[in-house]
Amino acid sequence: MSSGDESAREEQARSNLDALKLSSDEVSKFETAFKDPAFKQMFAEYAAEISDPKNKAESDLYLRQLEYENKVESVYGKGVQLVIPAPGFVVKTADKTTGRKVFVNVCHTDKCEDATSAKMPGGLQWSVPHTLGQAHEEADKAGVACTAYDFCVSTHTYGLTQRDERLRTMVVETAIEAVSRAYSADLDTTFTLPKRTFVGDKPGVQAIKGDKSA
């Protein structure tokens, strides 16, 4: 595995920790663990394993079963919820460094917090709570390999994107920025919106910590 791949996976892991809203003590323990070469090797092997399509499908099925049986907290800890996103719309862009085509699936769930805005000098400043899934390898309509990511917002926020073009653009820009930051990528901010609801088989299961209703 190249150092670039390793750095990207570590950055994604840290992003996932942020999404789980862990305590500072919990985050500190993970940060310390990443300094251990043995742990980094174990994590690299785990990341490679879950990236395999067959293993990913099996893991996804297992997580969906836990959700169905209400066993998520008993396995992953108190306050952790699994998110099974619904397809929404697709963003098409590209990695400016590699030229590889990239799709961002904007999905939605009622378990994410709604987008909020605050009045600031010059206009409104928006915050878009979201979760971000692992990259998955797909093929475009011509059969050319590409990369897809699942970016999930609240169902209410998704509804706003269907009624307001400016809000849709804001969510798309947030999604592109989130993927670029989490995967140390340089995605083109120029995009198109193909007439598709999802690129891939179906949205993968994601995890969040916290209860929206709390």
Side-chain angles (χ1 to χ4, degrees), residues 27-99:
V27 172
S28 177
K29 289 179 180 178
F30 274 102
E31 293 285 355
T32 300
F34 271 110
K35 295 176 183 178
D36 181 352
F39 179 85
K40 290 174 68 174
Q41 177 63 29
M42 180 179 68
F43 176 80
E45 292 172 355
Y46 166 74
E49 180 180 348
I50 64 173
S51 296
D52 182 279
K54 181 177 181 295
N55 293 333
K56 183 177 182 297
E58 292 175 352
S59 175
D60 194 69
L61 181 62
Y62 170 67
L63 292 174
R64 288 172 186 267
Q65 183 70 19
L66 288 179
E67 174 78 0
Y68 177 75
E69 295 177 355
N70 259 343
K71 294 181 178 178
V72 176
E73 286 195 348
S74 64
V75 175
Y76 287 96
K78 185 174 177 58
V80 175
Q81 298 185 76
L82 293 185
V83 173
I84 303 177
F89 65 90
V90 172
V91 180
K92 178 183 176 182
T93 183
D95 188 313
K96 292 195 291 184
T97 302
T98 65

Side-chain angles (χ1 to χ4, degrees), residues 109-181:
T109 175
D110 59 6
K111 292 185 179 181
C112 270
E113 297 286 346
D114 296 334
T116 57
S117 62
K119 289 185 178 180
M120 302 291 288
L124 293 177
Q125 179 175 322
W126 283 86
S127 173
V128 184
H130 62 270
T131 62
L132 181 62
Q134 296 286 339
H136 46 103
E137 298 298 303
E138 302 295 342
D140 64 13
K141 289 183 177 180
V144 178
C146 60
T147 306
Y149 304 89
D150 302 344
F151 176 87
C152 187
V153 297
S154 78
T155 298
H156 174 72
T157 301
Y158 170 75
L160 294 178
T161 69
Q162 301 305 289
R163 300 191 295 271
D164 190 311
E165 184 177 350
R166 292 172 300 175
L167 285 175
R168 181 170 64 242
T169 299
M170 182 266 295
V171 168
V172 169
E173 291 173 345
T174 301
I176 291 175
E177 180 184 353
V179 171
S180 295
R181 183 174 62 250

